[in-house]
Amino acid sequence: MNGLIPIVKRELLSYFRSPVAYIFIIIFLISTAGATWFLGSFYQSNQSSLDPFFFFHPWLYLFLIPAVGMRLWAEDRRSGTIELLLTLPVNLLTAVLGKFLAAWLFVGIALALTFPMAATVYYLGSPDTGLVVTGYLGSFLMAGSYLAIACFTSSMTKNQVISFVLGFFICLILVLLGWGFLQALLVNVFPVWLADAITFFSFSSHFEGFHRGLIDSRDVIYFLSIIGFMLFATVIVLEHRKAS
Amino acid sequence: MIEVKELVKRFGNITAVDGISFDVDKGEVLGFLGPNGAGKSTTMKMITCFLAPTSGTVIVGGKDILEDPLAVRRQIGYLPESAPSYPEMTVLEFLRFMAEMRSIPRGEIGGRIEEILATTGLEEVRHQIIETLSKGYRQRTCFAQALLHDPEVLILDEPTDGLDPNQKHEVRELIKRMRHEKTIILSTHILEEMEAVCSRAVIIAQGKIVADGTPAELAAKSRYHNAVTVRTRDPQAAALREKLQLIGGVNEVEFTPGQDGGPASFTLFSENNRPILPDVTKFLETHDVAVEEIFAERGRVDEVFRNVTQPVA
């Protein structure tokens, strides 16, 4: 893991050097707050809970997270810095992990900046602190999964637009699998066990527990294994690039 | 120090590198020449473990690129063809990052960077964002990165590309100063650069080695090797041609009439490239020809380059 920390530091520095980072954070804050207040009827619901806030995260992340992840490898491939990075004495896995962790931290920072949302809830009522904590934890884990997928699609191309669109669609499929309407459809078409198995892979069903205050080890393992699998796939793609 | 063994690289149906083998010893500066697309960069990318060979291998300082790529990379400083760097960082930040990646001990990084900034002439731009630098500075920033860890081996892909003549000269001087302690491979398509800095040249074309030798050996392959060129303002120059043909050992004479009031010139090619300068001088003295300039050619590398790299029609 030699070189992991310098890579994370460098990537984070790059984020904050470019205006894109600030624009992203602003859009992230506006869209999460906007969804909570207007779509989630936060105020009218008359409950001191962050439920309407977390409810929209799987949908908002669909376009927000691939936007962060699209440049991870595509940009290095376009500018040629990949040739510097991958001729340094570091493992490919270290490089992939370093870039991923930096992006995940960046998303974590954006997520942490939604604290006024939580503060509002505390100001208006007395929410269950456990719920708030698990909600944030779940959201962060889920963001990691989205990001790992975007990292994978980014490694396949030097074009950031293609990277974004591919990442968006893979994430969309994983979100839709947990959508009630589709679930009902699946049960009609497939045997129940298969429909359940397919639904098992959806983001939203694994996120639900968190914003109800549950930390189920299966949900944690689900998100972590998506991250692990996608980063591993990224390593394979980059390894393949080397050979072809 | 570097042993390239039967290196082959195919991209789909295209064979970019087709069975290249050569050795480079410490203290040598190997010039890698060839037309665009000959496979120079691809070969360098394989030596630096950026691309994996289709077959064959490279041993760098006793380590195999296939078995121990990290140990190989540790010994190499690499300047890729496009001289990439992170545009949003300052020169200092970029070099610090590369030094950390090279595991240079924390306490030595600062001093090492100062040294490299001085060698590469980057001191006055150290706090500038790389994006705002001119092409020459960006090229040198990437060059500096390759020298940071004082590597045994330097792989430089077109190190003077995009530099102005002064900067080119500086880079060449830098390479000359380092050549005794290091093993250097540099690619170029500038022939005078090869003659200026390289102790040996390998010319490749279509993925194969077509010539390998010192710059002087390459020049000796030219038909101009030991030919004698004479410039004269003699009004009867044209008539001299047939007489010159009769000098012993002269094979062929080329005549270029004087233009714009300049001198006419003859080039006398000798049989089997034997030296003929004394014979020619004696002839010109006895015939009282007013010579403006006379010299024996060492050979023309550009002509050799064309001959070996162009497929026979």
Side-chain angles (χ1 to χ4, degrees), chain A residues 2-3 6-7 9-10 14 17 76 79-84 86-91 241-244, chain B residues 9 11 45 48-52 70 73 78 80 84-86 88-89 93-94 97-98 100-103 145:
Chain A
N2 221 337
I7 293 178
K9 266 171 33 191
R10 199 213 72 75
S14 282
R17 275 288 156 75
D76 276 69
S79 72
T81 44
I82 191 171
E83 209 168 332
L84 283 183
L86 299 187
T87 54
L88 283 167
V90 286
N91 286 315
R241 174 218 53 81
K242 183 182 175 187
S244 69
Chain B
K9 181 69 186 177
F11 298 105
K45 283 174 185 174
T48 53
C49 312
F50 182 65
L51 289 177
L70 293 191
R73 290 175 189 175
Y78 177 38
S85 51
Y86 295 100
E88 66 280 0
M89 299 177 103
E93 283 165 348
F94 173 66
F97 165 67
M98 291 308 272
E100 284 172 9
M101 293 301 286
R102 291 283 184 190
S103 306
Q145 155 281 129

Side-chain angles (χ1 to χ4, degrees), chain A residues 58-224:
Chain A
W59 300 96
L60 292 173
Y61 285 179
L62 263 183
F63 66 94
L64 289 174
I65 306 290
V68 177
M70 65 184 184
R71 55 167 287 287
L72 275 178
W73 287 97
E75 175 61 17
D76 276 69
R77 289 181 78 149
R78 191 196 56 78
S79 72
T81 44
I82 191 171
E83 209 168 332
L84 283 183
L85 189 59
L86 299 187
T87 54
L88 283 167
V90 286
N91 286 315
L92 195 47
L93 181 63
T94 309
V96 169
L97 206 58
K99 276 175 164 287
F100 169 76
L101 286 178
W104 202 13
L105 269 172
F106 174 68
V107 172
I109 292 168
L111 189 59
L113 287 175
T114 61
F115 73 89
M117 224 32 253
T120 311
V121 177
Y122 276 98
Y123 176 73
L124 293 174
S126 46
D128 183 336
T129 302
L131 273 174
V132 174
V133 172
T134 56
Y136 269 107
L137 180 71
S139 183
F140 184 58
L141 274 171
M142 185 170 64
S145 306
Y146 279 69
L147 195 61
I149 291 168
C151 177
F152 166 68
T153 59
S154 178
S155 68
M156 296 196 287
T157 170
K158 60 174 87 167
N159 185 320
Q160 299 195 12
V161 176
I162 295 174
S163 158
F164 175 84
V165 172
L166 280 177
F168 175 84
F169 271 101
I170 297 178
C171 294
L172 181 67
I173 291 167
L174 285 173
V175 170
L176 285 183
L177 287 178
W179 189 31
F181 175 75
L182 195 83
Q183 270 176 325
L185 207 72
L186 284 171
V187 175
N188 282 335
V189 180
F190 297 113
V192 176
W193 63 269
L194 187 60
D196 278 352
I198 296 174
T199 314
F200 176 80
F201 281 100
S202 84
F203 280 140
S204 17
S205 57
H206 289 279
F207 181 50
E208 253 169 38
F210 285 101
H211 65 98
R212 277 192 273 110
L214 298 169
I215 301 180
D216 188 332
S217 57
R218 276 174 303 180
D219 294 337
V220 176
I221 291 169
Y222 165 82
F223 285 126
L224 290 180

Side-chain angles (χ1 to χ4, degrees), chain A residues 223-242:
Chain A
F223 285 126
L224 290 180
S225 43
I226 294 246
I227 292 173
F229 178 77
M230 283 299 161
L231 294 186
F232 180 66
T234 308
V235 172
I236 303 276
V237 168
L238 292 173
E239 203 57 72
H240 178 75
R241 174 218 53 81
K242 183 182 175 187

